[in-house]
């Protein structure tokens, strides 16, 4: 990676805004956790919030959004396989 | 450090990309699979422990929420350190890098506190007949814990203090929980050592600069990775763990 490639990286302002969004999402997660009336809806809602936080860190802090697609492919391959492992094991052990 | 560390030099590779960075992304992809297998193992054995304690008996969501916040903030300070370096502000870089190390060590402190708390956990059960606490825990107590309860109550005590701690050998929950969070803690420890070594290395003249930032970039990627793994662990292990409907 040369210096020109880092020039398209976000500014500190965006990094701090991202941190605020991450904190807010975490606060929402914790708040939702204590709302017992949500019942089973809690699981998809918390999952979506968690995935959103994961994606924010990967795209903004790890700069995947701003860098070459090859890095995205390298990481996504592992991530897709990892997700497949989780669902395969859960199916195999009759979790569902 | 090798010459390939000098980022201003055009990458003379078949991909045109720096091989070390490509390797780091490949490693992070493979580490996703490693943690996925540990998370899946935790999930498939969830609720299958023969004796207690269970997540609901031990987890303190407020405490873990604070440690989660600390790790999220460490990711922010890490990216601000990297940003300062690419702008040539070495002193600001050092301040943010040291902040990241301190936040990482704070997170590890929380983990040590939590592990110790789980290990020495104790419950107070009233000796009155049909004590609600005893009825609640009856199915979670082992035979030796039940014997201990009867023994203490036979000594005319008002209540019995039963050890209800958890180690990796206590039950399936203990084994899968400690292996998963222990490996994550090991990753954080490695990250702290890596960042601390970069901090001291930055005092060597010209070792770390706006043009030579790849070492910091790689360490930052690793640090953000331990953060994203914790984001998943916090939701799946802690929040879903305490929620009885899951």
């Amino acid at each position: 990676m040369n210096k020109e490639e880092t020039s398209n990286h976000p500014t500190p302002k965006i990094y701090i805004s991202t941190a605020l969004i991450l904190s807010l999402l975490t606060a929402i997660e914790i708040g939702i956790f204590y709302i017992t009336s949500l019942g089973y809806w809690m699981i998809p809602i918390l999952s979506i919030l968690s995935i959103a936080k994961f994606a924010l860190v990967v795209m903004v802090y790890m700069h995947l959004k701003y860098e070459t697609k090859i890095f995205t492919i390298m990481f996504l391959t592992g991530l897709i396989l990892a997700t497949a492992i989780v669902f395969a094991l859960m199916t195999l052990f009759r979790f569902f | 450090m090798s010459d390939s560390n000098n980022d201003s030099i055009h990458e003379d590779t078949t991909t045109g990309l720096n091989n070390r960075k490509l390797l780091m992304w490949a490693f992070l992809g493979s580490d996703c699979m490693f943690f996925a297998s540990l998370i899946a193992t935790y999930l498939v054995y969830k609720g299958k422990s023969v004796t207690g304690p269970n997540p609901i008996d031990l987890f303190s969501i407020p405490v873990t929420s604070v440690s989660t916040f600390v790790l999220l903030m460490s990711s922010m300070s890490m990216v601000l350190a990297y940003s300062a370096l690419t702008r040539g502000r070495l002193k600001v870089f050092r301040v943010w890098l040291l902040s990241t190390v301190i936040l990482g060590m704070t997170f590890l402190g929380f983990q040590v506190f939590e592990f110790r708390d789980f290990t020495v956990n104790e419950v107070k059960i009233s000796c009155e007949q049909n004590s609600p606490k005893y009825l609640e825990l009856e199915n979670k107590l082992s035979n030796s814990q039940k014997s201990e309860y009867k023994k203490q109550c036979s000594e005319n005590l008002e209540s019995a203090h039963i050890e209800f701690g958890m180690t990796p050998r206590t039950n399936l929950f203990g084994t899968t929980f400690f292996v998963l969070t222990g490996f994550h803690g090991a990753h954080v420890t490695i990250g702290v050592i890596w960042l601390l070594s970069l901090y001291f290395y930055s005092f060597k003249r010209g070792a770390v600069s706006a043009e030579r930032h790849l070492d910091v970039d790689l360490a930052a990627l690793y640090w953000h990775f331990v953060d994203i793994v914790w984001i998943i662990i916090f939701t799946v292990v802690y929040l879903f763990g305490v929620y009885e409907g899951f």
Side-chain angles (χ1 to χ4, degrees), chain B residues 17 69 110-111 148 160 211 239:
Chain B
L17 302 167
F69 179 73
F110 269 104
Q111 199 162 35
E148 181 62 25
E211 292 75 33
L239 298 183

Side-chain angles (χ1 to χ4, degrees), chain B residues 162-182:
Chain B
I162 306 298
E163 277 184 26
F164 201 49
M166 184 181 75
T167 67
R169 297 170 68 179
T170 307
N171 55 18
L172 280 170
F173 163 56
T175 310
T176 53
F177 171 80
F178 279 114
V179 170
L180 171 57
T181 54

Side-chain angles (χ1 to χ4, degrees), chain A residues 6-76:
Chain A
T6 62
S7 60
N8 65 347
H9 285 180
T11 58
K13 213 178 228 179
I14 291 176
Y15 292 139
I16 293 166
S17 309
T18 307
L20 288 174
I21 295 168
L22 287 169
S23 306
L24 186 71
L25 290 177
T26 308
I28 293 170
E29 263 189 319
I30 297 158
I32 283 173
F33 173 75
Y34 287 106
I35 305 171
T36 48
S37 57
L38 279 173
Y40 281 106
W41 281 103
M42 191 183 285
I43 293 164
I45 294 171
L46 289 179
S47 302
I48 290 166
L49 287 171
S50 182
I51 291 165
K53 283 162 69 183
F54 185 100
L56 261 179
V57 174
V58 173
M59 289 197 297
V60 182
Y61 285 177
M62 296 170 90
H63 304 125
L64 212 52
K65 189 182 167 190
Y66 311 95
E67 296 200 20
T68 171
K69 290 257 186 302
I70 296 175
F71 294 151
T72 309
I73 293 165
M74 296 295 278
F75 186 64
L76 272 186

Side-chain angles (χ1 to χ4, degrees), chain A residues 1-2 15 19 23 26 29-30 33 39-40 43 47 50 57 61-64 67-68 71 74 78 82 86 95, chain B residues 7 11 17 21 25-26 29 36 43 65 69 72-73 76 79 82 213 217 221 224 228 235 239-240 243 245-246:
Chain A
M1 189 171 67
N2 57 36
Y15 292 139
S23 306
T26 308
E29 263 189 319
I30 297 158
F33 173 75
Y40 281 106
I43 293 164
S47 302
S50 182
V57 174
Y61 285 177
M62 296 170 90
H63 304 125
L64 212 52
E67 296 200 20
T68 171
F71 294 151
M74 296 295 278
V86 173
F95 182 86
Chain B
D7 304 321
E11 302 298 343
L17 302 167
K21 191 155 181 178
W25 277 109
L43 286 175
S65 302
F69 179 73
L72 280 175
M73 289 306 104
M76 182 195 72
V79 80
Y82 175 72
H213 59 76
D217 194 11
L221 284 177
H224 297 311
I228 56 173
T235 305
L239 298 183
F240 289 173
Y243 176 57
F246 188 69

Side-chain angles (χ1 to χ4, degrees), chain B residues 135-165:
Chain B
L135 293 174
E136 181 196 327
L137 295 175
E138 198 175 10
N139 294 330
K140 295 176 184 174
L141 294 173
S142 65
N143 288 336
S144 63
Q145 285 166 326
K146 284 177 187 168
S147 305
E148 181 62 25
Y149 172 72
K150 282 173 189 162
K151 190 184 154 202
Q152 286 188 32
C153 286
S154 67
E155 290 166 2
N156 290 328
L157 295 170
E158 275 186 21
S159 56
H161 292 265
I162 306 298
E163 277 184 26
F164 201 49

